[in-house]
Structure formats: structure tokens, C-alpha cells
Amino acid sequence: MTGVQTCALPISNQIIKKNKFRIDKNLFTENKEGEGITLFNSFDEDTEASFVAHEASKLVDSGVSPSDIAVLYRANFQSRVLETSFMTLGVPYQVLGVKFFDRKEVRDLLSYIRAALNPQSLHDIKRVINTPTRGIGKVTITKIFSNQKDSLPPKMIEKVNDFYSILKEINKKTETEKTSKLVTFAIKRSGLEKSLQNSTEEDMERLENLKELVTLATKYDTLSPQEGLEKLLSDAALATDQDSLEKNEEAVKLMTVHAAKGLEFPYVFITGLEQDLFPHHKFNENLSKEDSEEERRLFYVALTRAEKKLFLSFASSRTIYGSKQITIPSEFLSDIDESLFVQEDAFVDSGDSSSKDKVVYLDF
């Protein structure tokens, strides 16, 4: 084992010992003693992401290669706010996997909204007219856009009319609803939410990503309905255009803990250490002991990705599906001896120019 030095290795050993369904192991390292562990308690997910991006920027400024830094999270939707902070600071980053606005379900929902605003948008209509499945094929789409809808069978005409009725309803909401309420309505009325409620892990992740889009949309609620929606769509398009970052190998790596298996980095951030997020809530009910221990094993994997310095962070509140919720620190943090943490200067997040500086203290 070449990973985390003497400060963090005791943590990983302490954490995994609580699992009963495992092969006994005790990690060690021959490397010299590394740095202490930083624990950061942020006000919310935005402050947490800003802290991570600022710390990564400081490391890069000190001579650390961006590719020696990794940011880990339990759920895919967490990447959105992190991507925003790294982009804002100009710190090169690469998402291992698919970037938030490139994820299929997010693109589908945005296409629903754009199609509602412009029913003549062939690209958006083609993307969502059969998503979720409605039995509308390519031949039907061709006839629709060739003004031959009347030549379709009566049942197919009914399906097409039902789809356009959905778009009309979404369009109507754009006139009066705040941006987050409009996005919430579109998720439900489009049928995307229902289609993803199959309880498979992949479907749950996709639904979480759609809910994260609602969270993002709340930032535009202070604008008029039309202005807020226009700003959301333009910002999403701008974020999608940042393809050059994806190709930069000299970049901070953002990834889920699952994707980090087998990889090691000198500097590692583990974010979102809150109860029901890490450990993830889906493991809290109707699962065997072996399955519940998988969450602890994942945290063990995350800890052992770091070779030199480890940062742990959690938020005191987090916006989920557009609603701010008070959070509880992860049970995993209570297993760590406080003496293993190091005191560091308070993190100052200046935010935008219109807001006052926020001072957020490290919590032990």
C-alpha cells in the first residue's frame, strides 16, 4: 500500500473494522509521515464547492500538478456545483464520467423545455417525442415535419397530439411559474420522473440529477419567469460548450467514489459527508447487512485513494429538489479520532461582488 500516510491509515483501518462481512485487513505504508487531515464544515453545498476549488487552486499555485488532485463524491449529481466552482475560479478540471449538463436525462429535460418554447425545433422534438417511450418512431417524426400528420393512423395521431399537449402545458407554465417550479413541473409532466422510479441504481442516479437541476434553477427564481428560464438555458448551453476542459489531462479529477477504485492521488478531497448522502440513503431500508456495509467499504476505498493529504468536508444544509434541508454529519466522521485532524485558517468565501464575505470555520 502506497496510499495515505500514518495520519489517515489509522482512520481507514478504524472505519473498515466495523464491517463484519469482510476479510480482515490492516493497511500500512512504508512512506514517510504525511500531512494531517483537514475537516471542513460548510454552510451549504455552494460554500463546500467553493472551499474545494479554492484549496485546489492554492495547491496548484504552490506547484502541485492539477492531475495530482482528486475530488470524490458519493452521488453523480454532486458534480454540478463542483464543476461550477472550478469553472468560476479557472481551475482546470476533468469529470471522470459524464459532465452534469451532458448527462442524458438532463439534456432530455432541457430539450422538453426548449421544444415547449419552440415546437418547430426539430432537434429537440426528435430527442424527446419518444422519451419516455410512447411508441412514436422515426417514420412518424418524418411525416410530422413533412406536414403529413393527417396520413398517420388515428391511434398514432392521438399519441402525437398527446405529446404536443404536454409541450403546450409546459409552455403555459413558463409564463407564470418561477424557474424552479417550471423545471419541477416539466420533470413530472414529461413523464421522466415516473419512468425513472424503477428503483434501479442507474435510474435513481438519473432522477437525482434531474432534482439537482431543480436545485440549480432556484438560483434564477429572483428573476421574472421568462428571464429566469432564458438565463438557465443560456448558462446550461455555455457549460456544455466547455469541451476543452474535458480534454485537458493536466486537470483536477472529479469523480464518484466508485470511479476512483484502483486510482491514487497525492491530494484527495472527499465531499458531501452527510447522513443519507454518504452513506447514501438508498442503503438505509430493506437491505441486508452486507449491502449496508457496502457504504462503509466505499468510504474506506475513498480514504485510501490519498497518498499525501486528505480533505474531508460536509455541509450543514443542502438544497435537494429545490428545497433547503438541514443535514447531519455522516456517521463515518464519528469513527475518526479528532486528534488526527489539523487546525487550519478559516476559509473566506467572498462570493460575488454584491454579497458580503462569509467566514466559515473548520469544525472539529
Side-chain angles (χ1 to χ4, degrees):
M1 170 68 189
T2 62
V4 180
Q5 312 306 316
T6 56
C7 186
L9 277 180
I11 293 180
S12 56
N13 290 330
Q14 291 168 12
I15 293 293
I16 201 63
K17 280 183 178 179
K18 286 201 169 185
N19 275 7
K20 304 303 179 183
F21 298 91
R22 69 182 184 91
I23 299 174
D24 193 34
K25 63 181 70 174
N26 187 55
L27 292 184
F28 65 92
T29 179
E30 296 178 353
N31 293 347
K32 64 181 181 179
E33 183 173 343
E35 302 177 32
I37 297 167
T38 295
L39 175 65
F40 183 68
N41 176 8
S42 67
F43 172 71
D44 58 17
E45 69 272 18
D46 290 315
T47 312
E48 179 187 43
S50 187
F51 162 75
V52 173
H54 274 88
E55 289 299 311
S57 180
K58 285 164 55 179
L59 288 170
V60 173
D61 288 344
S62 71
V64 174
S65 170
S67 60
D68 285 340
I69 305 170
V71 182
L72 310 183
Y73 37 84
R74 177 60 183 86
N76 267 307
F77 78 87
Q78 292 173 257
S79 78
R80 197 272 306 170
V81 67
L82 289 164
E83 290 179 55
T84 299
S85 288
F86 274 84
M87 192 181 303
T88 299
L89 283 184
V91 180
Y93 73 92
Q94 178 186 24
V95 178
L96 268 66
V98 182
K99 295 171 68 175
F100 182 78
F101 284 106
D102 287 337
R103 290 169 188 160
K104 180 183 182 302
E105 58 279 4
V106 174
R107 296 177 67 183
D108 287 344
L109 185 62
L110 293 175
S111 278
Y112 262 105
I113 295 173
R114 286 193 297 266
L117 294 172
N118 178 19
Q120 299 305 312
S121 173
L122 176 59
H123 171 77
D124 291 310
I125 295 294
K126 285 176 62 178
R127 183 176 185 89
V128 298
I129 195 170
N130 201 42
T131 304
T133 302
R134 297 184 175 90
I136 301 176
K138 294 180 179 179
V139 173
T140 298
I141 296 172
T142 299
K143 289 189 175 182
I144 291 172
F145 283 90
S146 300
N147 296 317
Q148 301 178 42
K149 189 178 80 169
D150 292 342
S151 67
L152 295 170
K155 288 187 177 181
M156 185 58 67
I157 292 177
E158 183 179 352
K159 290 179 180 180
V160 172
N161 288 340
D162 286 345
F163 169 72
Y164 278 95
S165 292
I166 292 172
L167 297 186
K168 288 180 181 178
E169 291 181 42
I170 295 174
N171 181 283
K172 187 68 176 177
K173 292 290 183 180
T174 66
E175 300 173 2
T176 57
E177 294 285 6
K178 292 182 178 180
T179 310
S180 63
K181 297 295 184 183
L182 179 278
V183 174
T184 300
F185 178 80
I187 291 173
K188 295 178 181 295
R189 189 64 187 91
S190 65
L192 290 174
E193 181 178 62
K194 184 177 180 180
S195 71
L196 295 174
Q197 291 178 330
N198 297 324
S199 297
T200 66
E201 184 169 353
E202 184 177 1
D203 284 347
M204 288 184 68
E205 288 181 355
R206 288 178 174 175
L207 188 55
E208 285 179 335
N209 288 332
L210 291 180
K211 291 180 177 181
E212 180 64 13
L213 190 60
V214 177
T215 295
L216 171 62
T218 61
K219 300 183 184 300
Y220 306 91
D221 284 349
T222 57
L223 302 173
S224 69
Q226 290 84 358
E227 289 176 325
L229 182 56
E230 182 180 345
K231 189 70 165 63
L232 170 63
L233 293 175
S234 63
D235 286 353
L238 179 63
T240 303
D241 288 340
Q242 303 297 316
D243 291 338
S244 59
L245 294 173
E246 196 76 30
K247 300 178 177 65
N248 190 349
E249 294 183 2
E250 281 298 312
V252 177
K253 302 299 186 290
L254 276 57
M255 69 189 86
T256 63
V257 178
H258 278 105
K261 294 178 182 178
L263 303 176
E264 290 184 347
F265 302 87
Y267 299 89
V268 171
F269 295 81
I270 305 176
T271 63
L273 283 168
E274 300 139 35
Q275 203 63 20
D276 292 344
L277 182 53
F278 200 2
H280 200 278
H281 63 85
K282 69 182 179 182
F283 288 104
N284 285 352
E285 298 178 356
N286 303 320
L287 289 172
S288 67
K289 180 66 175 178
E290 292 95 327
D291 288 331
S292 66
E293 288 191 354
E294 172 67 7
E295 288 295 290
R296 184 173 291 274
R297 190 186 69 80
L298 283 174
F299 184 51
Y300 169 82
V301 168
L303 289 171
T304 53
R305 298 311 89 196
E307 297 175 321
K308 184 175 182 181
K309 172 72 176 179
L310 181 65
F311 299 83
L312 307 179
S313 64
F314 64 97
S316 295
S317 65
R318 188 173 293 271
T319 303
I320 304 293
Y321 216 172
S323 176
K324 187 174 288 292
Q325 300 177 11
I326 303 301
T327 61
I328 300 172
S330 170
E331 63 188 71
F332 300 149
L333 294 176
S334 64
D335 296 333
I336 300 174
D337 189 334
E338 292 185 1
S339 66
L340 295 176
F341 295 112
V342 294
Q343 182 68 49
E344 298 200 9
D345 293 336
F347 165 63
V348 179
D349 177 18
S350 59
D352 59 42
S353 58
S354 63
S355 63
K356 294 182 179 179
D357 286 1
K358 296 185 293 184
V359 180
V360 185
Y361 293 94
L362 294 170
D363 182 85
F364 298 100

